[in-house]
Structure formats: C-alpha cells, structure tokens
Amino acid sequence: MLRLARRSLTAVRHFTAATLPEAPRVTIRNSGGRDTLGRRVLSLVYTKRSAVITVKKWKEEGHVVQKYELNRIVRELRKLKRYKHALEICEWMTMQQDIKLLEGDYAVHLDLISKIRGVNSAGKFFVDFPDQMKGQLTCTSLLHNYVQHKDTAKAEALMEKMKQCNFLKYPLPFNHMMSLYISNGQFEKVPELLHELKKNTSPDIVTYNLLLTACSLRGDTGDLITAEKIFLELKKTKVDPDWVTFSLLTSIYIKNSRFEDALLSVKEMEKRVSRKIRFGYCSVISLYAGLGKTEDVHRIWKKMKSLFRKLNDAEYNCMISSLIKLNVLEEAENLYTEWESVSVTGDTRIPNLILAGYINRHEMTMAEMFFHKRMLDKNIVPSYTSWELLTYGYLHKKESSKVLECFKKAISSVKKWDPNEKFVREVYKLLEEYGNTEGAEEVLSTLRKAGYVTTEVYNLVLRTYVKAGKMPLIVAERMKKDKVSMNEETHELIKVKVLKQQFQLWFDPTADYHNYTIHWNPTEVVWYVDSIPIRVFRNYQSEGIAYPNQQGMRVYSSLWNADNWATRGDLVKIDWTAAPFVAYYRRFRARACKWNGPVSITECAIPSKANWWTSNVYRQLTMSQQGQLKWVQDNHMIYNYCTDVKRFKGQMAPECSKPQY
C-alpha cells in the first residue's frame, strides 16, 4: 500500500508540474506532410545535433520564424523530454531583437536550464533576469525546481521573498512546498503551510490531493479520520474531486480494512478515468486487485485493450503484478507470454515480476527454470533486481554457494551500488549460521570493490568467525587500511576468540635468533620455542569444543600494534620512543600438507607415512615435554585467558577445564 501511496503522490506531482507556466499552447495541426520548421526540429533525434542550426537554415531559406511557432516547438520538445533542443531554441530566442519575450517565456527557459545544467545554474540565471521579469511566474518556476531537487532551505527562503512581494495569491507555490514537505516526511509542517495558504487564497484540487497523500503516508494504516475530514471540506468548498482524490481515499480505506467504502470509492474513481487519463486505468486495476476483485481487474484490462491500439510495458507491468497479488501466477505467466509477443523492449522489470512471484512462493525450481528459459535463453539481461531476488530465494533454501554467486552478480551488475544494509545483513546471517568464514571474506571483498566497507560490515565478518570458533587475521590493520574505525562491538568480538596465553621468555629474544615452531595435527596444536613446548591446545571436538580442522592454515609473522587487545587488559603500552621496531627472520621451513580445498580436510588427517604428523610420536607430549611445559607455564607465563575471570565474566572457555597434554 505504501507503493500505491507513492504512486498517488507521483500523480499529484504530475498535475502540480502541469500548471507550470509554459509557452502559449498551440495545437500542432496536420500539415499534410509538407515541410515545416517543427517537423525539421522534431526530426533531430540525436541530442548532439543542433536545433539552432536547423532554425537558422530555415530562416536562410526565406521562411519567416514566428515566436508562436517556436513556443509551440519548445512545448512539444518538453513533452518528449528533449530538453536540450528546447533549451537551444529558448536561448536563440533571447538573442533575437525582433522577438519580445514575456515572463512566461523566461519561466520556461529557467526550468529547462535546471533540467540540463542543474538547479544552481537556474538560480544564477534568475538573478540575471531583467527586474520586470522577476515576477510571480518566474519565481514559481524557480521554486518548482528547488522542490524537485529537495533543496528545502532555498525553497523556504524563496517562499519568504515571494510572500514579501505579494506573489502568493494562488495555490501553486503552496502546493509545491507541501509536496516537498510530504516527500521529506515533514508532515508537521503541512498544517501551518495550509493555514498560510488559506490566508492568501483558496485550496485547489491538487492541494486536497496532497493533504490526502500526507494522510495515506502516516503510519501503517494512514490517518483515516483526517482524510475523511479533508474530503468533507473539499465537498463543502465545491471543489470537484478527481480520480487521484478517490485513488488516495481508496488506498486509505483498504489500509483500514474498510473494504465496502473502498469499493464505493474505487467505483467513483473509475468514473473519472477516461481515454485522456490513460495512466489512471492502471491505478484502478491495482486497487481492484487490492480488494481481491478479480472480475473487475479483468474487466478494466479488457476495456483498456478496446480503447488503446497497443498497451505499453508499464500497463503490462501493472496487470501482471495485479494478477500475482490475486495469487493467480499461472495467469500472470500467460500474460507475460503475450507481452513477449508484442514488446521489443526486453524490459527486465516485467520478467522480474514473475521471478519474484515464484520466489515468494518458495518455488525455486520454477524460478530457476523461468530465469534460464524465459530470460537468459531469450537474451534478456538480468538486472540488479533479478540477482537480488535470486539471492533471497537461495537464502531461504540456505544454499550458501548460490547465495554468494548471485550476491556478487547483483553488486557487479550496476555501475554504482546503492547500499542495501538489510540485504547485506541477510547474506551474513546465513554465513554466520554455518560459520562460513571464507564466504564472509568473499562478501567483504565484493563490498570493498563496490566502495562499501563499514564498521558494521566488519562486525558481521567477525561474528561469523566467532561462530566458527576461528580467529580472524590482522583485523585492526585491515580496518585501518579500509579507513574504518572500530566500535565497542568490534573490540568485544575481537576479544571473544583472542584466547591468549602470554610469556616472558627465559632469554632476551632480541639478542639472537631462536626457533619458533607450531606443530598442528588432528590431535593437538603445540607451540615450541627452541623445541620446548610452551602451549598446547588439544582436540576435544567430540565434546563440543571447537577445533581448527576445517580450513587451511596461514602463517603471518610481523610487527603490529596490539596494545589494545594483547597487553593484559591494556596494562602495557608500547614505548614509541624506542621506535623504529624491526623483526628479522631466517631459515623459514614449512613442512605441511598442502591445502587443496575441502578435500584436504580428510586427506591431511589420514594416518600414513606421508602424513608423518599423524604418527603416534606426535599424538601427545612425552613425559619430559610435559615437564618442560609445566616449568614454562609456572615460571614464565604472564597471562592466561583461562584464569581471567574478570574479562570473561565467569564464563570461561570449556577447554580450560580439560587437560592440555
């Protein structure tokens, strides 16, 4: 229903914009195929071609160029949204001494500048106007453009100047401001603006429709009581309601489950929709669909087919979405087949409706079949929405690999991605559930390429690592490189799995080289210094304690600032006066089972001669090694997470109660 309200607001804006001052409206008559200036200019399909050259050539051929004809051409070009050519003609007119321009001409010129060169250029153009042209029409045109660009400060300042100049004697400027406040969600400003309007003039139908739009957007059900008061006032002032009025009322009634009133209202709306108001039929269809009136939906569609020679993509979009809303997806797909036969646009929005229909019904097999046979095989290029829909479908099925594939394709399908935080969270929710850290890193890489890396994204990655019982690598450094700051949650997530034991070694490690060894096999992980064990982490996975045996190992050895997490509760600070700090390495040796993907999880753990690390010699420390371990931990351990009750609030890691030798 929010979508309907937005559509209604768009319709209101259409009528508001239609009241902008334009060149005199002269109907283009059938010239019987003869050569005219209008025909020549309108034939300039490509924007790089100059309308001015065409006008000059016409004049050189001995033809008279009259202002009314140029105004008519500008009006037609604006209708076709060919603003560049329209602006060229307006600028040419200002250079002609024999053409006397009126304020309305300047208003149109200003509007075109805003569309082509931006609202700031339009503002500068207005400042340079002759004083006699800075009137009601040009001010209203400038205000309209400020509203379109949602520049509230400039719009309010201009309204104040118009008030001082006594230009607020008709409702259009107030309607522009009301439209701005509603689109910004500033509903509290609407009553005061309405009061000011009534002091200067009387509300028109656009005013009342905007007020109803504001009612429809308030809360989940809208403001029904206020809406009915507005409609009653409209009738008392003898303003004729139009189809937009009843469209808004119908949507509010539907939100409040007043279905009988909604049906009466949509019937009134239908009476006011005609061939001249073609786009109104789609609103009628959508509202009948919202009321569950299948027969009426088909009746209006049949009427549209009889009225119009060819229906456009937007109308097929409306009808297909209405059929899906009525839960007749098969009919919707049949209508899609009809659209395929009559449309050559390949508009992805139409097939996306069917795709969404199957996905919302959790029929992924049908969705996949439709996607491949009716889209890819027919050369319809999937849009961002297509991949997003498929991602959500696979999220429901919890197919991580396909989720990742579709997510990446969604992001890469657009030049500039408009971040969707909910979308990102849903993807990470699945990855966290399965502890899929590789997938989490893959998504992070994709988001980094799209220019969207935030503290929240890093926290989502860290949650996945916590779930997997793994420790992420150099998080602080990576976040710094991405120019992302840590928050309180980040620090807590890093602490969760930074299960440290720290040692003050029995020698000066900076005086000479020493052997530092990590031995990791299916039974235990042992850290050695000069062949003396200093820490052991045994595999108690059978008792529900996480053990690192589901992915490959990377070794990072460097120097980095860890005084915010690796210094016994921030007790020890780095002495930066001793910088620079340098680390030296030699004789690095890696004797390991090469990681070849998930298959290595089993292959590297099979007891064999090749897998020497699985032999009984390495299954457990010898008695002598156990003695060395005890000596190191009794005399040189300065921090042990298993005894840090304060940090872990009494919830100690389960392995702390298990023997580690």
Side-chain angles (χ1 to χ4, degrees):
M1 299 315 298
L2 179 60
R3 189 177 296 169
L4 175 62
R6 284 174 179 161
R7 189 184 304 123
S8 302
L9 179 57
T10 304
V12 171
R13 285 177 181 160
H14 170 84
F15 285 111
T16 306
T19 55
L20 268 176
E22 290 192 359
R25 290 179 176 263
V26 180
T27 305
I28 290 184
R29 302 180 185 278
N30 188 339
S31 56
R34 65 184 178 84
D35 186 22
T36 66
L37 177 59
R39 285 183 180 273
R40 289 192 187 183
V41 173
L42 292 173
S43 67
L44 302 174
V45 179
Y46 301 105
T47 55
K48 289 184 179 180
R49 299 179 70 181
S50 172
V52 172
I53 292 175
T54 303
V55 174
K56 286 181 177 179
K57 187 175 180 181
W58 178 263
K59 198 171 181 180
E60 288 169 1
E61 292 173 4
H63 300 291
V64 178
V65 177
Q66 297 182 330
K67 182 191 170 188
Y68 83 88
E69 185 178 16
L70 293 173
N71 283 341
R72 179 195 64 185
I73 294 169
V74 168
R75 179 170 60 85
E76 290 302 316
L77 288 169
R78 291 178 74 198
K79 283 170 63 177
L80 295 169
K81 296 184 178 181
R82 287 171 53 185
Y83 303 122
K84 178 180 174 292
H85 286 151
L87 178 59
E88 287 174 355
I89 292 175
C90 285
E91 290 180 334
W92 184 82
M93 289 169 67
T94 62
M95 304 295 291
Q96 308 308 305
Q97 294 182 355
D98 59 334
I99 294 180
K100 184 180 179 180
L101 297 177
L102 304 176
E103 186 184 345
D105 300 315
Y106 277 95
V108 172
H109 193 163
L110 186 148
D111 184 62
L112 290 168
I113 286 176
S114 178
K115 285 180 168 58
I116 297 298
R117 297 174 189 152
V119 71
N120 290 333
S121 295
K124 291 176 183 176
F125 180 65
F126 178 81
V127 170
D128 294 335
F129 276 179
D131 289 340
Q132 66 271 24
M133 294 301 169
K134 293 178 181 177
Q136 180 176 280
L137 295 179
T138 50
C139 284
T140 304
S141 178
L142 183 60
L143 178 67
H144 169 69
N145 283 287
Y146 285 150
V147 168
Q148 281 193 321
H149 288 81
K150 294 190 176 183
D151 195 331
T152 305
K154 288 184 179 179
E156 289 177 339
L158 182 57
M159 274 292 283
E160 186 60 33
K161 288 182 181 178
M162 291 176 72
K163 181 180 178 181
Q164 294 170 6
C165 296
N166 203 26
F167 289 163
L168 301 179
K169 294 300 181 183
Y170 67 129
L172 181 58
F174 295 98
N175 292 340
H176 284 325
M177 289 304 298
M178 200 175 293
S179 173
L180 175 63
Y181 290 145
I182 291 170
S183 64
N184 288 340
Q186 297 174 290
F187 301 113
E188 71 282 355
K189 291 190 175 184
V190 172
E192 183 183 347
L193 185 68
L194 179 64
H195 177 70
E196 190 70 23
L197 184 155
K198 289 180 177 178
K199 280 169 53 179
N200 289 272
T201 183
S202 299
D204 61 7
I205 185 58
V206 176
T207 309
Y208 285 114
N209 286 344
L210 283 165
L211 293 171
L212 289 172
T213 300
C215 291
S216 70
L217 293 174
R218 286 198 188 103
D220 295 332
T221 58
D223 189 347
L224 176 60
I225 295 173
T226 305
E228 290 184 323
K229 287 180 181 178
I230 290 168
F231 186 66
L232 186 62
E233 180 186 324
L234 180 151
K235 290 197 290 186
K236 284 182 179 179
T237 55
K238 296 183 180 180
V239 173
D240 290 330
D242 60 10
W243 72 272
V244 177
T245 312
F246 287 104
S247 172
L248 290 162
L249 272 177
T250 305
S251 67
I252 295 171
Y253 282 134
I254 291 174
K255 284 182 179 181
N256 288 271
S257 302
R258 293 262 297 269
F259 299 120
E260 290 184 7
D261 291 324
L263 187 59
L264 292 172
S265 181
V266 76
K267 292 289 185 186
E268 289 296 323
M269 174 187 172
E270 186 182 341
K271 292 176 185 176
R272 288 161 173 79
V273 176
S274 65
R275 186 186 181 93
K276 291 182 180 179
I277 312 173
R278 177 169 178 164
F279 47 85
Y281 284 109
C282 283
S283 278
V284 175
I285 286 177
S286 296
L287 291 169
Y288 274 131
L291 289 166
K293 299 294 182 181
T294 308
E295 290 182 5
D296 288 305
V297 167
H298 284 293
R299 176 175 58 80
I300 300 298
W301 183 248
K302 186 177 180 181
K303 184 177 181 179
M304 289 176 69
K305 284 191 164 184
S306 67
L307 286 173
F308 308 111
R309 185 176 61 84
K310 184 180 179 181
L311 300 179
N312 59 40
D313 286 354
E315 288 157 345
Y316 274 100
N317 187 316
C318 168
M319 185 60 181
I320 290 172
S321 61
S322 296
L323 291 173
I324 292 172
K325 189 187 296 183
L326 291 166
N327 202 28
V328 282
L329 187 53
E330 291 72 21
E331 280 189 43
E333 190 164 354
N334 289 337
L335 188 59
Y336 175 78
T337 302
E338 179 185 311
W339 171 80
E340 280 183 315
S341 66
V342 297
S343 177
V344 295
T345 62
D347 188 345
T348 319
R349 290 172 292 185
I350 312 297
N352 282 346
L353 293 171
I354 306 296
L355 192 63
Y358 283 122
I359 290 171
N360 288 334
R361 286 165 58 164
H362 306 308
E363 297 179 12
M364 278 306 293
T365 303
M366 293 296 294
E368 288 173 328
M369 189 182 302
F370 179 85
F371 179 71
H372 288 286
K373 291 188 176 181
R374 307 293 294 274
M375 292 180 70
L376 297 183
D377 289 355
K378 297 196 175 182
N379 298 318
I380 293 179
V381 180
S383 65
Y384 171 83
T385 303
S386 310
W387 294 115
E388 185 183 41
L389 287 167
L390 288 169
T391 304
Y392 276 113
Y394 290 125
L395 278 169
H396 180 77
K397 292 188 71 178
K398 297 187 176 182
E399 295 187 24
S400 299
S401 60
K402 290 184 177 180
V403 165
L404 292 171
E405 179 187 353
C406 293
F407 180 81
K408 285 194 290 186
K409 287 183 176 179
I411 305 300
S412 63
S413 67
V414 289
K415 289 182 179 178
K416 185 177 181 182
W417 182 54
D418 185 14
N420 183 336
E421 293 180 9
K422 181 184 175 184
F423 189 32
V424 174
R425 283 196 298 270
E426 289 295 322
V427 171
Y428 269 112
K429 183 179 177 182
L430 177 68
L431 298 173
E432 180 184 347
E433 183 180 346
Y434 288 97
N436 187 346
T437 56
E438 290 184 0
E441 293 286 0
E442 197 175 327
V443 172
L444 176 60
S445 177
T446 300
L447 293 174
R448 184 179 290 113
K449 290 175 184 175
Y452 180 71
V453 181
T454 65
T455 304
E456 174 60 21
V457 169
Y458 263 102
N459 288 346
L460 290 168
V461 175
L462 290 171
R463 286 181 206 141
T464 309
Y465 273 97
V466 169
K467 177 69 175 180
K470 299 174 183 177
M471 179 179 171
L473 299 169
I474 53 174
V475 174
E477 286 73 12
R478 292 163 65 193
M479 291 183 74
K480 184 177 180 180
K481 186 176 180 181
D482 285 327
K483 297 180 181 179
V484 176
S485 60
M486 292 186 180
N487 61 14
E488 188 176 341
E489 184 186 7
T490 316
H491 287 293
E492 288 302 315
L493 287 167
I494 290 174
K495 287 179 182 178
V496 169
K497 285 300 171 183
V498 181
L499 305 178
K500 304 184 297 291
Q501 289 180 352
Q502 289 180 286
F503 302 86
Q504 188 73 49
L505 295 174
W506 52 95
F507 53 83
D508 179 2
T510 67
D512 201 355
Y513 288 96
H514 292 267
N515 289 326
Y516 300 90
T517 307
I518 300 174
H519 186 89
W520 174 30
N521 66 21
T523 308
E524 61 186 7
V525 182
V526 186
W527 288 259
Y528 295 90
V529 177
D530 291 337
S531 300
I532 296 174
I534 65 170
R535 181 178 180 181
V536 179
F537 187 86
R538 290 193 63 79
N539 186 349
Y540 287 105
Q541 196 170 18
S542 61
E543 299 182 35
I545 299 173
Y547 185 78
N549 60 4
Q550 296 298 308
Q551 68 174 18
M553 176 185 183
R554 292 186 179 93
V555 177
Y556 285 81
S557 185
S558 182
L559 292 174
W560 60 82
N561 180 5
D563 64 3
N564 64 338
W565 61 270
T567 55
R568 293 181 289 154
D570 208 27
L571 290 176
V572 182
K573 289 294 184 181
I574 293 174
D575 180 7
W576 292 103
T577 62
F581 304 107
V582 182
Y584 297 96
Y585 303 89
R586 70 180 185 185
R587 297 175 186 170
F588 176 78
R589 185 183 181 194
R591 294 187 297 158
C593 181
K594 186 178 179 181
W595 176 257
N596 292 312
V599 67
S600 298
I601 296 171
T602 303
E603 288 181 350
C604 294
I606 296 173
S608 67
K609 279 188 176 182
N611 293 350
W612 54 268
W613 50 86
T614 62
S615 67
N616 290 333
V617 176
Y618 298 103
R619 292 182 64 85
Q620 190 173 13
L621 297 183
T622 65
M623 292 300 292
S624 174
Q625 287 174 322
Q626 290 179 34
Q628 290 174 325
L629 177 68
K630 187 175 186 307
W631 172 77
V632 171
Q633 295 193 343
D634 287 347
N635 296 284
H636 297 280
M637 182 185 288
I638 59 175
Y639 176 81
N640 184 1
Y641 73 95
C642 283
T643 60
D644 194 344
V645 178
K646 181 180 178 181
R647 175 187 165 194
F648 294 100
K649 300 175 183 178
Q651 299 180 357
M652 311 311 292
E655 66 269 14
C656 292
S657 61
K658 299 291 182 183
Q660 296 295 330
Y661 48 83

